[in-house]
Amino acid sequence: MLKNIAVVGMAVMGKNLALNLADHGYSVLVYNRTTETTRQVISESKHPNLFLSETLEDMVSRLEKPRKILLMVKAGSAVDALLNQLESLLEKGDIVIDAGNSFYQDTIRREAAYASKSLNFVGMGVSGGEEGARTGPAIMPGGSLEAYKALKPLLEAIAAKVNHEPCVSYIGANGAGHYVKMVHNGIEYGDMQLIAESYSILRSLGHFNNQSLSEIYSHYNQGDLNSYLIEITADIMKKKDDLSSAYLLDVILDSAGQKGTGLWTSKDALDLGVNVSVITSAVNSRLISAQRKTRIEANQILPKENYPKIDAKELIDQVELALYAAKIISYAQGFDLMHQAALAYKWDLDYKSIAKIFRGGCIIRAQFLNKIALAYENKSDLDNLLLDPFFTSVLEKALNSLRTIVSMSVLSGIPIPAFSIALAYYDAFRSINLATNLIQAQRDYFGAHTYERTDREGVFHTNWQDNEK
């Protein structure tokens, strides 16, 4: 009997997606380059809907048409190698889905190559980690609409659900799905950095212990900041170490790794001329965190400040509002990047649907994404989230807290790059007269780059050293 779908790659994510599909009644062929790994998955799960394939040829021959093959392998050359192997085995209309964290430009290239041979290639972002893949991730498919329609029942079945709505929707042509997943990961970087900075502020200025910090973040999670990342932060704070008497967080080295998607987001934003400074500050913070030896040396040499004691209740409330305001600014940057990319790559992105996908299954899932979805429902061509009446009203209430927290932290020597750049972005975004008129004058002075004027039309150049004119 022919099977419904094949999953290639039996590492954690591939295995869990295969099990998720099998749980929903789909017959799933599983394949891994190392056959023993596949045998182990089937042996451990004992799932009646999982079936072993030892070769790609065997796998393709046992699939119903149009064939559906989901790849969950390491991004890069491994994907290209698999696609080359599969190409000669497939027939017109068959569908290959790359569910890994591939760079969207690679997806555009691969989709075009497959389309030229009447094959369907779907670049599909999947977020939620190990647990999401197993129980319901957020899914962002791009590629041909025809292919998506064939996959839709299957994807809706395995996706996370919020109010019975599946967290999946067709994103757009070629690389759109992987692009939106990339920006999701960039927003995730910003979220994590802002939360880490709030922890640093509360610890340094409020002198709270870990148990108190856990209670504070649990409190935050009951309000506007309700989200997966705030929830797990509360759990992390109270976890005791198995190897010592300390809290586990206190013995974790302050050097954060990264897999590159935040860096991709920052680079692409620069290419498109879009300010995603909160995300970029998060990437830079991970970079400097890796320089621990140098930081320790600098701590012994450079002058430092004493942290003042602040009223605990006031600090908790101020940080809560400041974190919410900075989070809104960060998401506004991320959605602005998607908007500008859609213009550049001719994608028809539905930002309301994207916000709704992000509500469940994924790492950035948060209550206030409902407000983002509503903002785009009210105005689908919204230029920037900060201009939506709801978010404008939130910032009106929270702005003083953001300024206060940034000011106190800067005066106390607490590094808060994401908070401070969020505030700087807000101030620049609402400014009528930026100091960049001087920069343009400088460019014209040394390079004859010309300038425009505020009082008349046209392009001008001045001989700046001719002071008599």
Side-chain angles (χ1 to χ4, degrees):
M1 184 176 178
L2 296 176
K3 309 308 178 190
N4 302 131
I5 188 170
V7 177
V8 177
M10 286 294 105
V12 171
M13 289 294 288
K15 176 182 72 173
N16 283 345
L17 281 173
L19 288 167
N20 191 349
L21 286 159
D23 284 347
H24 287 86
Y26 291 95
S27 55
V28 186
L29 286 167
V30 288
Y31 170 84
N32 196 76
R33 186 179 58 173
T34 307
T35 304
E36 184 54 39
T37 301
T38 319
R39 292 186 188 281
Q40 188 175 347
V41 168
I42 290 178
S43 173
E44 289 177 354
S45 70
K46 295 181 173 60
H47 204 297
N49 289 336
L50 287 189
F51 303 90
L52 172 70
S53 276
E54 295 192 9
T55 68
L56 291 175
E57 291 81 1
D58 171 70
M59 180 189 78
V60 170
S61 70
R62 295 165 62 194
L63 286 171
E64 65 184 15
K65 298 178 182 180
R67 299 178 180 92
K68 304 173 187 68
I69 301 171
L70 188 150
L71 312 183
M72 185 53 89
V73 297
K74 186 177 180 180
S77 59
V79 177
D80 286 317
L82 260 174
L83 292 177
N84 290 337
Q85 288 177 276
L86 286 168
E87 187 179 301
S88 62
L89 305 175
L90 301 177
E91 298 175 1
K92 180 179 179 180
D94 287 347
I95 304 166
V96 177
I97 310 145
D98 175 13
N101 269 339
S102 288
F103 185 50
Y104 77 98
Q105 290 285 8
D106 289 337
T107 303
I108 292 174
R109 169 178 56 80
R110 292 163 181 157
E111 196 273 341
Y114 259 47
S116 69
K117 297 174 175 61
S118 299
L119 300 173
N120 291 304
F121 181 80
V122 173
M124 188 172 82
V126 177
S127 180
E130 179 180 354
E131 179 185 353
R134 185 68 184 85
T135 61
I139 305 174
M140 295 147 262
S144 82
L145 183 57
E146 176 188 352
Y148 173 72
K149 288 177 180 177
L151 295 170
K152 183 179 178 183
L154 178 152
L155 296 179
E156 289 186 344
I158 67 170
K161 309 294 189 299
V162 175
N163 300 327
H164 307 292
E165 289 183 273
C167 295
V168 58
S169 181
Y170 177 67
I171 301 298
N174 50 63
H178 274 143
Y179 193 93
V180 169
K181 174 56 167 43
M182 179 188 76
V183 177
H184 162 281
N185 285 19
I187 292 172
E188 178 186 312
Y189 271 59
D191 261 359
M192 294 171 73
Q193 180 64 29
L194 287 167
I195 294 170
E197 289 179 18
S198 71
Y199 153 65
S200 182
I201 294 164
L202 290 166
R203 179 183 58 177
S204 301
L205 296 183
H207 305 283
F208 295 108
N209 60 30
N210 290 50
Q211 185 59 43
S212 296
L213 287 167
S214 178
E215 293 168 4
I216 290 167
Y217 284 102
S218 292
H219 165 71
Y220 287 172
N221 202 44
Q222 303 307 308
D224 292 325
L225 288 171
N226 175 266
S227 65
Y228 173 71
L229 285 171
I230 293 289
E231 177 187 340
I232 68 170
T233 299
D235 288 343
I236 288 167
M237 294 295 170
K238 64 184 179 183
K239 181 70 174 177
K240 298 299 287 284
D241 181 27
D242 293 336
L243 303 177
S244 71
S245 60
Y247 284 93
L248 180 55
L249 181 60
D250 295 341
V251 295
I252 293 177
L253 195 69
D254 62 338
S255 181
Q258 56 182 316
K259 290 188 175 180
T261 46
L263 185 60
W264 288 353
T265 307
S266 295
K267 284 182 175 179
D268 200 72
L270 286 172
D271 289 339
L272 292 174
V274 181
N275 184 324
V276 293
S277 46
V278 176
I279 294 169
T280 303
S281 74
V283 175
N284 286 333
S285 293
R286 296 194 190 192
L287 296 177
I288 201 169
S289 79
Q291 299 177 333
R292 180 172 172 79
K293 182 180 178 182
T294 306
R295 288 189 287 113
I296 292 172
E297 182 182 0
N299 180 265
Q300 304 303 313
I301 298 172
L302 298 176
K304 43 187 170 287
E305 302 78 5
N306 293 317
Y307 301 150
K309 181 75 174 178
I310 308 294
D311 178 75
K313 177 65 169 66
E314 181 184 354
L315 182 65
I316 292 168
D317 293 344
Q318 296 272 33
V319 169
E320 181 177 20
L321 285 169
L323 182 55
Y324 191 32
K327 182 184 180 81
I328 289 169
I329 293 166
S330 179
Y331 277 66
Q333 291 182 355
F335 273 80
D336 185 35
L337 176 57
M338 286 189 278
H339 175 65
Q340 298 304 324
L343 295 175
Y345 303 119
K346 297 180 173 55
W347 295 328
D348 184 19
L349 300 186
D350 183 338
Y351 306 105
K352 173 187 171 183
S353 293
I354 291 169
K356 292 177 82 170
I357 290 171
F358 289 171
R359 293 180 304 166
C362 67
I363 304 303
I364 66 170
R365 58 186 183 265
Q367 177 178 280
F368 97 121
L369 281 157
N370 286 308
K371 298 298 185 182
I372 295 179
L374 184 60
Y376 285 109
E377 180 179 315
N378 292 335
K379 190 174 183 182
S380 60
D381 61 345
L382 184 66
D383 282 337
N384 189 294
L385 275 174
L386 301 186
L387 303 178
D388 173 74
F390 172 78
F391 291 114
T392 300
S393 67
V394 170
L395 289 169
E396 186 176 358
K397 297 173 187 174
L399 186 61
N400 283 343
S401 293
L402 180 57
R403 291 198 189 283
T404 299
I405 289 300
V406 169
S407 300
M408 286 195 302
S409 301
V410 170
L411 290 171
S412 302
I414 302 170
I416 49 158
F419 270 104
S420 57
I421 204 66
L423 181 58
Y425 174 86
Y426 173 86
D427 285 336
F429 184 71
R430 67 174 181 80
S431 179
I432 296 174
N433 296 306
L434 293 169
T436 39
N437 61 331
L438 174 57
I439 293 173
Q440 195 60 23
Q442 291 169 333
R443 295 181 73 241
D444 189 56
Y445 190 112
F446 65 68
H449 291 290
T450 73
Y451 56 88
E452 296 176 88
R453 297 177 61 102
T454 60
D455 58 351
R456 65 198 67 193
E457 296 292 323
V459 176
F460 300 85
H461 167 61
T462 293
N463 182 357
W464 294 90
Q465 293 177 306
D466 186 0
N467 291 322
E468 294 181 2
K469 291 187 178 181

